[in-house]
Amino acid sequence: MGKDSEKLIANNKKAYHDYFIDETYEAGISLHGTEVKSLRMGKCSIKESFIRIENGEVFVYGMHISPYEKGNIFNKDPLRVKKLLMHRSEINKLLGKIKEKGYTLVPLKVYFKGSLVKVQVGLARGKKLYDKRQDIAKKDQRREAEKEFKVKNLY
């Protein structure tokens, strides 16, 4: 495995449905040994998770990493708050953006980059109900167009 190869662990499709993603950042994550082993087995969920900046540090809440089966006493709480590792300049930039109206931070995906666990953080604006409806309509149109294209190519 090369240093730049990525292996996806968890994806947050719900974030793309509920938010407009304006910018993305890559962050490291502070984990304990058994959590990394559990991630290698793909046991992670970020559906309900969110990110906060407190005292100049970035934390992810609600990220569920299942306990490692062979970890016994070394296992940590699956829902514990985990610290994200980012550069100070990036954190300050994000703090400025979050103070603007309507911006929030959401984890988009968790993946291995080489041997390191990374989290893709998205700077997001909330979607209104009509925006979600428009997205669903566009998706349906694209699906219909692909279906028609497929049918035409068969004949």
Side-chain angles (χ1 to χ4, degrees):
M1 227 182 189
K3 186 75 173 155
D4 53 295
S5 64
E6 288 185 8
K7 181 182 172 246
L8 188 68
I9 301 167
N11 205 344
N12 192 353
K13 291 179 186 169
K14 193 174 180 229
Y16 291 100
H17 183 264
D18 293 343
Y19 301 100
F20 291 113
I21 308 299
D22 289 349
E23 293 178 43
T24 59
Y25 297 89
E26 185 178 71
I29 184 166
S30 178
L31 297 171
H32 289 86
T34 54
E35 291 175 321
V36 177
K37 288 181 179 182
S38 192
L39 285 175
R40 289 211 183 279
M41 295 166 68
K43 300 197 172 170
C44 177
S45 172
I46 54 173
K47 279 188 176 71
E48 302 297 317
S49 58
F50 60 96
I51 296 171
R52 281 205 182 126
I53 299 178
E54 297 165 358
N55 304 329
E57 293 182 328
V58 187
F59 295 97
V60 62
Y61 291 82
M63 179 177 168
H64 187 277
I65 298 177
S66 300
Y68 183 57
E69 287 130 28
K70 301 178 181 85
N72 56 45
I73 60 165
F74 298 107
N75 281 333
K76 299 287 181 201
D77 176 31
L79 286 172
R80 77 178 179 88
V81 179
K82 294 156 192 77
K83 184 177 173 183
L84 294 181
L85 310 169
M86 296 178 83
H87 292 288
R88 174 74 48 219
S89 59
E90 285 180 325
I91 295 171
N92 291 339
K93 186 177 175 186
L94 288 174
L95 255 175
K97 294 269 189 178
I98 287 173
K99 286 182 177 154
E100 288 178 32
K101 187 176 171 283
Y103 275 112
T104 187
L105 290 174
V106 288
L108 300 175
K109 64 181 181 177
V110 180
Y111 56 95
F112 278 107
K113 189 171 185 180
S115 62
L116 304 173
V117 179
K118 299 287 185 180
V119 178
Q120 188 177 42
V121 177
L123 184 66
R125 283 180 294 133
K127 282 186 183 178
K128 302 281 188 273
L129 187 62
Y130 58 85
D131 290 326
K132 292 179 188 177
R133 286 193 189 125
Q134 284 175 343
D135 279 359
I136 292 169
K138 281 180 190 171
K139 221 178 261 181
D140 287 344
Q141 280 179 335
R142 194 172 69 239
R143 202 174 293 126
E144 284 295 320
E146 285 174 2
K147 191 186 280 183
E148 285 176 26
F149 181 72
K150 199 173 189 181
V151 170
K152 283 180 185 175
N153 284 347
L154 287 175
Y155 296 112

